[in-house]
Every structure is written in C-alpha cells, then in structure tokens.
Amino acid sequence: MSRRTRWAAALVGAFAVVLAAAAVTAPRWLGVGFDPRQLFGGAAPAGTETVSVLGDSHSGWPGSWFRQSVGDGGVPGAQLGTLASYPGWTSVALLTRVPEATRRGGTVLVQAGTNDMLLAGSSPARAADDVERLVGAVGERGVRPILVSVPPSATQGPQVLQLNTLLHGWADERGIGWLDVTSTVMVPDGTWRPGLSDDGIHANAAGGSLMAEAAVAELPALLRG
C-alpha cells in the first residue's frame, strides 16, 4: 500500500470514529431543554440581546409563550439564546441548570414555582424563597435575570396568586424585571380563563398564543431597562 493510500485509509478511519462518537452522544443532546440553535448560535448582533429561558414545561413545550415570542424572533431586540426548560422540575432542581442557561450571557428569563407547590407540596412562601434563590444564582453568574409570572392552576389558584404577589414584590424591591405573561390568561381566583387550558395546569395553543403576545408587548422595554 502506498503512503498516499495509507494516509487516505487513516483519514477515513478517523472520520468513522467521529461519526460513531456523535451517534453515541446524540441522544444526550435530544433532551427537553435542547434547541439546535443553542449549539450553533454566536454572539448577539449589535443592538440585540441574547435572551434565554430557565424553567419548567410552561416555557418549553412546542407552543409555549417563549417559543412563540423569543423563539420565533418576534421580540424586537431579542436573539434566541438557550432553551433550558425541564418538565416537572422544581426551583431547587433547576439550580443545577443555571450554568446551562447562563452560558450565552445576556438575559435569562426565569419561570418556576408551579412544581414547587404542585409536586413538592411547598407553600407559596417556601416556593417564593426557592424561586428567588434560583434568580439569585443566575445573577451571580453575571447574567441579568428577569422573573416571569407563574401560570394559573385549576387546583391551586389562590396559591398561584399568593406566589405571584410575593415574587413580584421581591423583584420590585431588588430592581429585577418582572414579565407578566399570565394575567391575560387568568381569572381573579387564579384559575385559567375558559378554553385556555386542557388539563388545568398548562396552556393550550390558544393560551400559549395569548401569553406570547404579552411577552412580545412587555419584553422589549424590560430588555432596554
């Protein structure tokens, strides 16, 4: 075998190894929090802000308010960052994803607390403490956090109202942005407006669209602030 032939064979073999490694690691990339653009996106162009999200299923499902606003390029001045959304995760669990959510810099929208109360049994006060800790962890990495309101609940409407009141007040005291995407889909008792949720927990397509409209309307001013 000539030197050129041996070199070509070695190159083909090395390429095969790379492909095999990619095949093994690919399933780890395909988690709930994965978005292809978070792997290949560069720095935000001048005049724009990289906007990521850290939260549970409310921000991550295909028709979510985040995907229909920042994700679809509908928010002026915002470039899509990292989608770090994990169904069923509490605020405490999401602390482990802060490095992922903040790796692109810019701004991170934090929406959590539903599972603290619904699955972990936390009181609104305890849930607020844990969400505040999550927001603080984002800020400690030199990234601006914006706190996002918690969606309605068919079974925990009053607790949702309490939690949002606590979080909004805490954010105002510390000069942290508050993005209210849920008043538009909520009735005064903290439950969903009729027809906007199919399971009493998550927004359906219509509910997600209304929440996205609120994000598009409010977020540009928060990013400029």
Side-chain angles (χ1 to χ4, degrees), residues 145-202:
I146 291 178
L147 189 50
V148 184
S149 59
V150 177
S153 170
T155 59
Q156 296 194 318
Q159 292 93 322
V160 167
L161 294 176
Q162 286 182 260
L163 178 56
N164 278 333
T165 297
L166 290 169
L167 292 177
H168 193 178
W170 179 83
D172 283 350
E173 289 174 3
R174 287 157 180 78
I176 294 171
W178 174 256
L179 178 60
D180 180 4
V181 298
T182 57
S183 289
T184 187
V185 296
M186 186 184 297
V187 295
D189 66 358
T191 60
W192 289 91
R193 283 176 48 194
L196 299 183
S197 175
D198 297 332
D199 62 3
I201 301 173
H202 304 91

Coordinates of all heavy atoms in Angstrom, one line a residue, residues 145-202:
P145 N -31.1 38.5 35.2 CA -32.3 37.7 35.3 C -33.6 38.6 35.1 O -33.6 39.8 35.6 CB -32.3 37.1 36.7 CG -31.6 38.1 37.5 CD -30.6 38.9 36.6
I146 N -34.6 38.1 34.5 CA -35.9 38.7 34.5 C -36.9 37.6 35.0 O -36.9 36.5 34.5 CB -36.3 39.2 33.1 CG1 -35.5 40.4 32.7 CG2 -37.8 39.5 33.1 CD1 -35.8 40.9 31.3
L147 N -37.6 37.9 36.0 CA -38.6 37.0 36.6 C -39.9 37.0 35.9 O -40.5 38.0 35.6 CB -38.8 37.3 38.1 CG -39.5 36.4 39.0 CD1 -38.9 35.0 38.9 CD2 -39.4 36.9 40.5
V148 N -40.4 35.8 35.6 CA -41.6 35.6 34.8 C -42.7 35.1 35.7 O -42.5 34.2 36.6 CB -41.4 34.6 33.6 CG1 -42.7 34.5 32.8 CG2 -40.2 35.1 32.8
S149 N -43.9 35.6 35.6 CA -45.0 35.2 36.4 C -45.4 33.7 36.2 O -45.1 33.1 35.2 CB -46.3 36.0 36.1 OG -46.6 35.9 34.7
V150 N -46.0 33.1 37.3 CA -46.4 31.7 37.3 C -47.8 31.6 36.7 O -48.7 32.4 37.1 CB -46.3 31.2 38.7 CG1 -46.8 29.7 38.8 CG2 -44.9 31.3 39.3
P151 N -48.0 30.6 35.8 CA -49.3 30.4 35.2 C -50.4 30.0 36.2 O -50.2 29.6 37.3 CB -49.1 29.4 34.2 CG -47.7 29.4 33.9 CD -47.0 29.7 35.2
P152 N -51.7 30.2 35.8 CA -52.8 29.8 36.6 C -52.8 28.3 36.9 O -52.1 27.5 36.3 CB -54.1 30.2 35.7 CG -53.5 31.1 34.7 CD -52.1 30.7 34.5
S153 N -53.7 27.9 37.8 CA -53.9 26.5 38.1 C -55.3 26.2 38.4 O -56.0 26.9 39.2 CB -53.0 26.1 39.3 OG -53.3 24.8 39.8
A154 N -55.8 25.1 37.9 CA -57.2 24.7 38.2 C -57.4 24.3 39.7 O -58.5 24.4 40.2 CB -57.6 23.6 37.3
T155 N -56.4 23.8 40.3 CA -56.5 23.3 41.7 C -55.8 24.2 42.7 O -56.1 24.0 43.9 CB -55.9 21.9 41.8 OG1 -54.5 21.9 41.4 CG2 -56.6 20.9 40.8
Q156 N -54.9 25.1 42.3 CA -54.1 25.9 43.2 C -54.2 27.3 42.9 O -53.2 28.1 43.1 CB -52.7 25.4 43.3 CG -52.6 23.9 43.8 CD -51.1 23.6 44.2 OE1 -50.2 23.9 43.5 NE2 -51.0 22.9 45.3
G157 N -55.3 27.8 42.4 CA -55.4 29.2 42.0 C -55.0 30.2 43.1 O -54.2 31.1 42.9
P158 N -55.6 30.1 44.3 CA -55.2 31.0 45.4 C -53.7 31.0 45.7 O -53.1 32.0 45.9 CB -56.0 30.5 46.6 CG -57.2 29.9 46.0 CD -56.7 29.2 44.8
Q159 N -53.1 29.8 45.7 CA -51.7 29.7 45.9 C -50.9 30.4 44.8 O -49.8 31.0 45.1 CB -51.2 28.2 46.1 CG -51.8 27.5 47.3 CD -53.1 26.8 47.0 OE1 -54.0 27.3 46.3 NE2 -53.3 25.6 47.6
V160 N -51.3 30.3 43.6 CA -50.6 30.9 42.5 C -50.7 32.4 42.7 O -49.7 33.1 42.4 CB -51.3 30.5 41.1 CG1 -50.8 31.4 40.0 CG2 -50.9 29.1 40.8
L161 N -51.8 32.9 43.1 CA -52.0 34.4 43.3 C -51.0 34.8 44.4 O -50.3 35.9 44.2 CB -53.4 34.7 43.7 CG -54.5 34.5 42.6 CD1 -55.9 34.8 43.2 CD2 -54.2 35.4 41.4
Q162 N -50.9 34.1 45.5 CA -50.0 34.4 46.5 C -48.6 34.4 46.1 O -47.8 35.3 46.4 CB -50.2 33.4 47.7 CG -51.4 33.6 48.5 CD -51.4 32.6 49.7 OE1 -52.1 31.6 49.6 NE2 -50.7 32.9 50.7
L163 N -48.2 33.4 45.3 CA -46.8 33.2 44.9 C -46.5 34.4 43.9 O -45.4 35.0 44.1 CB -46.7 31.9 44.1 CG -45.3 31.6 43.5 CD1 -44.2 31.7 44.6 CD2 -45.2 30.3 42.9
N164 N -47.3 34.7 43.0 CA -47.0 35.8 42.1 C -46.9 37.1 42.8 O -46.1 38.0 42.5 CB -48.1 35.9 41.0 CG -47.8 34.9 39.8 OD1 -46.7 34.5 39.6 ND2 -48.9 34.5 39.2
T165 N -47.8 37.3 43.8 CA -47.7 38.6 44.6 C -46.3 38.7 45.3 O -45.7 39.7 45.3 CB -48.8 38.7 45.6 OG1 -50.1 38.7 44.9 CG2 -48.7 39.9 46.5
L166 N -45.9 37.6 45.9 CA -44.6 37.5 46.6 C -43.5 37.8 45.7 O -42.5 38.5 45.9 CB -44.4 36.2 47.4 CG -45.4 35.9 48.6 CD1 -45.3 34.5 49.0 CD2 -45.0 36.9 49.7
L167 N -43.5 37.1 44.5 CA -42.4 37.2 43.6 C -42.3 38.6 43.0 O -41.2 39.2 42.8 CB -42.5 36.1 42.5 CG -42.3 34.7 42.9 CD1 -42.6 33.7 41.8 CD2 -40.9 34.5 43.5
H168 N -43.5 39.1 42.6 CA -43.5 40.5 42.0 C -43.0 41.5 43.0 O -42.1 42.4 42.6 CB -44.9 40.8 41.6 CG -45.0 42.0 40.7 ND1 -46.2 42.4 40.2 CD2 -44.1 42.9 40.2 CE1 -46.0 43.5 39.4 NE2 -44.7 43.8 39.4
G169 N -43.4 41.4 44.2 CA -42.9 42.4 45.2 C -41.4 42.3 45.5 O -40.7 43.3 45.6
W170 N -40.9 41.0 45.5 CA -39.5 40.8 45.7 C -38.7 41.3 44.6 O -37.6 42.0 44.7 CB -39.2 39.3 45.9 CG -37.8 38.9 46.0 CD1 -37.1 38.9 47.2 CD2 -36.9 38.4 45.0 NE1 -35.8 38.4 46.9 CE2 -35.7 38.1 45.6 CE3 -37.1 38.2 43.6 CZ2 -34.6 37.7 44.9 CZ3 -36.0 37.7 42.9 CH2 -34.8 37.5 43.6
A171 N -39.2 41.1 43.3 CA -38.5 41.6 42.1 C -38.4 43.2 42.1 O -37.4 43.8 41.8 CB -39.2 41.1 40.9
D172 N -39.5 43.8 42.5 CA -39.6 45.3 42.5 C -38.6 45.8 43.5 O -37.9 46.8 43.3 CB -41.0 45.7 42.8 CG -41.9 45.6 41.6 OD1 -41.4 45.4 40.5 OD2 -43.1 45.8 41.8
E173 N -38.5 45.2 44.7 CA -37.6 45.6 45.8 C -36.2 45.6 45.3 O -35.3 46.4 45.8 CB -37.8 44.8 47.0 CG -39.1 45.0 47.8 CD -39.3 44.0 48.9 OE1 -38.3 43.2 49.2 OE2 -40.3 44.1 49.6
R174 N -35.8 44.7 44.5 CA -34.4 44.5 44.1 C -34.1 45.0 42.7 O -33.0 44.7 42.1 CB -34.1 43.0 44.2 CG -33.9 42.6 45.6 CD -34.1 41.1 45.8 NE -34.0 40.8 47.3 CZ -34.9 41.0 48.2 NH1 -36.1 41.6 47.8 NH2 -34.7 40.6 49.4
G175 N -35.1 45.6 42.0 CA -34.8 46.2 40.7 C -34.7 45.1 39.6 O -34.0 45.3 38.6
I176 N -35.3 44.0 39.8 CA -35.3 42.9 38.9 C -36.6 43.0 38.0 O -37.7 43.2 38.5 CB -35.2 41.5 39.6 CG1 -33.9 41.4 40.3 CG2 -35.4 40.4 38.6 CD1 -33.8 40.2 41.2
G177 N -36.4 42.8 36.7 CA -37.5 42.9 35.8 C -38.6 41.8 36.1 O -38.3 40.7 36.4
W178 N -39.8 42.2 35.9 CA -41.0 41.3 36.1 C -41.7 41.2 34.8 O -42.3 42.2 34.3 CB -41.9 41.8 37.2 CG -43.1 41.1 37.4 CD1 -44.4 41.5 37.0 CD2 -43.3 39.8 38.1 NE1 -45.3 40.5 37.4 CE2 -44.7 39.5 38.0 CE3 -42.4 38.9 38.7 CZ2 -45.2 38.3 38.6 CZ3 -43.0 37.7 39.2 CH2 -44.3 37.5 39.2
L179 N -41.8 40.0 34.2 CA -42.5 39.8 33.0 C -43.8 39.1 33.3 O -43.8 37.9 33.7 CB -41.7 39.0 32.0 CG -42.3 38.6 30.7 CD1 -42.7 39.8 29.9 CD2 -41.3 37.7 29.9
D180 N -44.9 39.8 33.1 CA -46.2 39.2 33.4 C -46.9 38.6 32.1 O -47.4 39.4 31.3 CB -47.1 40.2 34.0 CG -48.5 39.7 34.4 OD1 -48.8 38.5 34.2 OD2 -49.4 40.5 34.8
V181 N -46.8 37.3 31.9 CA -47.3 36.7 30.7 C -48.6 36.0 31.1 O -49.2 35.3 30.2 CB -46.4 35.7 30.1 CG1 -45.1 36.5 29.6 CG2 -46.0 34.6 31.0
T182 N -49.1 36.1 32.3 CA -50.2 35.2 32.8 C -51.5 35.9 33.1 O -52.5 35.3 33.2 CB -49.7 34.3 34.0 OG1 -49.3 35.2 35.0 CG2 -48.6 33.4 33.6
S183 N -51.4 37.2 33.4 CA -52.6 38.0 33.7 C -53.7 37.8 32.6 O -54.9 37.8 32.9 CB -52.3 39.4 34.0 OG -51.7 39.6 35.3
T184 N -53.2 37.8 31.4 CA -54.0 37.7 30.2 C -54.8 36.4 30.1 O -55.8 36.3 29.4 CB -53.2 38.0 28.9 OG1 -54.1 38.1 27.8 CG2 -52.2 36.9 28.7
V185 N -54.3 35.4 30.8 CA -55.0 34.1 30.7 C -55.6 33.6 32.0 O -56.1 32.5 32.2 CB -54.0 33.0 30.2 CG1 -53.5 33.3 28.8 CG2 -52.8 32.8 31.2
M186 N -55.6 34.5 33.0 CA -56.0 34.2 34.4 C -57.3 34.9 34.8 O -57.4 36.1 34.5 CB -54.9 34.5 35.3 CG -55.1 34.0 36.8 SD -53.7 34.5 37.9 CE -52.3 33.7 37.2
V187 N -58.2 34.3 35.5 CA -59.3 35.0 36.1 C -58.9 35.3 37.6 O -57.9 34.9 38.1 CB -60.6 34.1 36.1 CG1 -61.0 33.8 34.6 CG2 -60.4 32.8 36.8
P188 N -59.7 36.2 38.2 CA -59.3 36.7 39.5 C -59.0 35.7 40.6 O -58.3 36.0 41.6 CB -60.5 37.6 39.9 CG -61.1 38.1 38.6 CD -60.9 36.9 37.7
D189 N -59.6 34.5 40.5 CA -59.3 33.5 41.5 C -58.0 32.7 41.3 O -57.8 31.7 42.0 CB -60.5 32.6 41.7 CG -60.8 31.7 40.5 OD1 -60.1 31.8 39.5 OD2 -61.7 30.9 40.6
G190 N -57.3 33.0 40.2 CA -56.0 32.3 40.0 C -56.2 31.1 39.1 O -55.2 30.4 38.8
T191 N -57.4 30.8 38.6 CA -57.5 29.7 37.7 C -57.5 30.2 36.2 O -57.4 31.4 35.9 CB -58.9 29.0 37.9 OG1 -60.0 29.9 37.8 CG2 -58.9 28.4 39.4
W192 N -57.5 29.3 35.3 CA -57.5 29.6 33.9 C -58.8 30.2 33.3 O -59.9 29.8 33.8 CB -57.2 28.4 33.0 CG -55.8 27.8 33.2 CD1 -55.4 26.9 34.1 CD2 -54.6 28.2 32.5 NE1 -54.0 26.6 34.0 CE2 -53.5 27.4 33.0 CE3 -54.4 29.1 31.4 CZ2 -52.3 27.6 32.4 CZ3 -53.1 29.2 30.9 CH2 -52.1 28.5 31.4
R193 N -58.6 31.1 32.4 CA -59.8 31.6 31.7 C -60.3 30.4 30.9 O -59.6 29.6 30.4 CB -59.4 32.7 30.7 CG -59.3 34.1 31.4 CD -58.8 35.1 30.4 NE -59.6 35.1 29.2 CZ -59.2 35.7 28.1 NH1 -58.1 36.4 28.0 NH2 -60.0 35.7 27.0
P194 N -61.6 30.3 30.7 CA -62.2 29.2 30.0 C -61.6 29.0 28.6 O -61.4 30.0 27.9 CB -63.7 29.5 29.9 CG -63.9 30.4 31.1 CD -62.7 31.2 31.3
G195 N -61.3 27.8 28.3 CA -60.8 27.4 26.9 C -59.3 27.6 26.7 O -58.9 27.4 25.6
L196 N -58.6 28.0 27.7 CA -57.2 28.3 27.5 C -56.2 27.2 28.1 O -55.0 27.3 28.0 CB -56.8 29.7 28.1 CG -57.6 30.9 27.5 CD1 -57.1 32.2 28.1 CD2 -57.4 30.9 26.0
S197 N -56.8 26.2 28.8 CA -56.0 25.1 29.3 C -56.8 23.8 29.1 O -58.0 23.8 29.5 CB -55.6 25.3 30.7 OG -54.9 24.2 31.2
D198 N -56.2 22.8 28.7 CA -56.9 21.5 28.5 C -56.8 20.6 29.7 O -57.5 19.6 29.9 CB -56.4 20.8 27.3 CG -56.7 21.5 26.0 OD1 -57.7 22.3 26.0 OD2 -55.9 21.4 25.0
D199 N -55.7 20.8 30.6 CA -55.5 20.0 31.7 C -55.5 20.7 33.0 O -55.4 20.1 34.1 CB -54.2 19.2 31.6 CG -53.0 20.2 31.5 OD1 -53.2 21.4 31.7 OD2 -51.8 19.7 31.4
G200 N -55.8 22.0 33.0 CA -55.9 22.8 34.2 C -54.5 23.2 34.8 O -54.4 23.9 35.8
I201 N -53.4 22.8 34.1 CA -52.1 23.2 34.5 C -51.3 23.9 33.4 O -50.8 25.0 33.7 CB -51.3 21.9 34.8 CG1 -52.0 21.1 36.0 CG2 -49.8 22.2 35.2 CD1 -51.3 19.7 36.2
H202 N -51.4 23.4 32.2 CA -50.6 24.0 31.1 C -51.5 24.8 30.2 O -52.7 24.4 30.0 CB -49.9 23.0 30.3 CG -49.0 22.1 31.2 ND1 -49.4 21.0 31.8 CD2 -47.7 22.3 31.5 CE1 -48.4 20.4 32.4 NE2 -47.3 21.2 32.3

